[in-house]
Amino acid sequence: MRGRDLRLVPVAAAAWAGAGAAVMLPQSARWVAVGLWAAALAFVALTARPRARRRTAQALVAVGLAVAAAAASHVALSEPARAAAAHLAIGGGRAIAVHAVVVGKADRTASGDAAFDARADEIDIGLRQVRVAVPVVIRARTQPDVGARVVASGTAFPAGAGERAVLVVRAGRGLEIVAPPRGVVAVAARLRHGLAAATGGLPQPAAGLIPGLAVGDTDAVSAELDAAMKASSLSHLTAVSGANCAIVVGLAFGAAALCGARRGVRVAAGGVALAGFVLLVTPEPSVVRAAVMAAIAMLGVLLGRLGAGVSLLSSAVVVALVADPWLAVSMGFALSAAATGALLVLAAPLARGMARRLPRVIALGVAVPLAAQLVCAPLLILINPT
């Protein structure tokens, strides 16, 4: 690995630090952004000097400060609307009704409820209707499809620091599905239901695991199986990540190549397949990282510039954090980036070392999961210290 392949790593780290600081201290996000923009401009001025030494290093510092400032600015621009919603008179168990559109698939909580992300546009507090535009988490007994419009009646409380959601809504008085998904979102919902129906006749645990392995749909995974997978550190198998995106994009790219398509058409086919797959599985943190990285890689193919994997990963992290700074405190995003970085940096050296005592194929097969496990272990301990 050449030194220039690692030049974007500090830029990605700066974006992560800036986004994390702004997300954890949203009231100070504007001042964080202003300070970072000022520092970036100062380094730009230093780089522009005719006889400036170490111009490349100064330019990288300027870029790192700029992307960190962009992520902090995103948080600062969102803060007024988020603060207004968080300070509504909804405390003390007051009954409210939240009108929202479902934007994330449901996950089962310890109490058996379904928790899913939604985008709220109106909150009814008594006879008062308040227009909002903030993300929320809704907990209910039913699991609506992504894209459905719902009204959650119950109580709410502010989400914790660093959470993307502003409010957590408990639909104790019921969840009404006002309108089903429409358009391509409805097609994706039908495909997910079709896969679940096609595997429903299989014996357990296969019936529940296949949709989870393919598209991350864990609705049919029993509570006992879920607990067993977590205890054995296998729960990541039902989380869609880069492997799933690589298979889908590779199949589309290869099919177009077999048809004799030009490079631009092959890239377009891979891009369409990637967009459709992200829509199908919903944009979870690991999927966002993998999708952005794949999109940047395909752009490199289109331009004829195949960049190093670490550069692609760093670019993907920067783009994802600027677009969604709350990913900076997402454990799923951190695990995805760490595992991918480990495969790019550690897998080959580990395989070469073990190949001295083992057959090369076996050494490589062991090195890949070992590299990921070594780097992800500190993060995994935070999730489950067993």
Side-chain angles (χ1 to χ4, degrees), residues 210-216 236-251 273-274 277 281 286-287 289-290:
I210 290 177
L213 294 169
V215 297
H236 63 281
L237 295 178
T238 54
V240 176
S241 61
N244 306 67
C245 292
I247 292 171
V248 171
V249 172
L251 288 173
L274 178 64
F277 185 68
V281 303
S286 59
V287 179
R289 193 276 314 158

Side-chain angles (χ1 to χ4, degrees), residues 335-350:
L335 285 170
S336 179
T340 305
L343 298 182
L344 293 170
V345 177
L346 293 180
L350 284 173

Side-chain angles (χ1 to χ4, degrees), residues 104-117 137-144 168-171 175 219:
K105 67 181 182 183
D107 293 320
R108 285 292 177 186
T109 64
S111 62
D113 291 340
F116 54 89
D117 294 326
V137 170
I138 299 177
R139 295 179 179 176
R141 289 293 178 184
T142 56
Q143 303 183 37
V168 177
V169 182
R170 289 175 175 163
L175 181 74
D219 287 349

Side-chain angles (χ1 to χ4, degrees), residues 58-109:
Q58 292 173 350
L60 285 174
V61 172
V63 172
L65 291 170
V67 296
S73 298
H74 186 157
V75 178
L77 292 173
S78 305
E79 181 56 21
R82 294 172 61 88
H87 290 90
L88 290 174
I90 58 174
R94 185 169 184 176
I96 64 171
V98 178
H99 301 251
V101 176
V102 181
V103 297
K105 67 181 182 183
D107 293 320
R108 285 292 177 186
T109 64

Side-chain angles (χ1 to χ4, degrees), residues 198-264:
T199 59
L202 297 174
Q204 291 291 356
L209 282 177
I210 290 177
L213 294 169
V215 297
D217 184 356
T218 57
D219 287 349
V221 174
S222 65
E224 294 77 11
L225 178 59
D226 181 61
M229 292 181 70
K230 289 179 179 177
S232 56
S233 293
L234 292 176
S235 58
H236 63 281
L237 295 178
T238 54
V240 176
S241 61
N244 306 67
C245 292
I247 292 171
V248 171
V249 172
L251 288 173
F253 203 90
L258 288 175
C259 295
R262 296 177 313 210
R263 181 168 59 186

Side-chain angles (χ1 to χ4, degrees), residues 372-383:
Q373 186 69 22
L374 287 173
V375 175
C376 291
L379 297 174
L380 292 172
I381 289 173
L382 296 177
I383 300 175

Side-chain angles (χ1 to χ4, degrees), residues 294-323:
I296 294 173
M298 287 190 289
L299 179 61
V301 172
L302 182 63
L303 299 176
R305 298 179 180 179
L306 299 177
V310 175
S311 298
L312 291 175
L313 175 61
S314 301
S315 301
V317 168
V318 168
V319 173
L321 289 174
V322 171

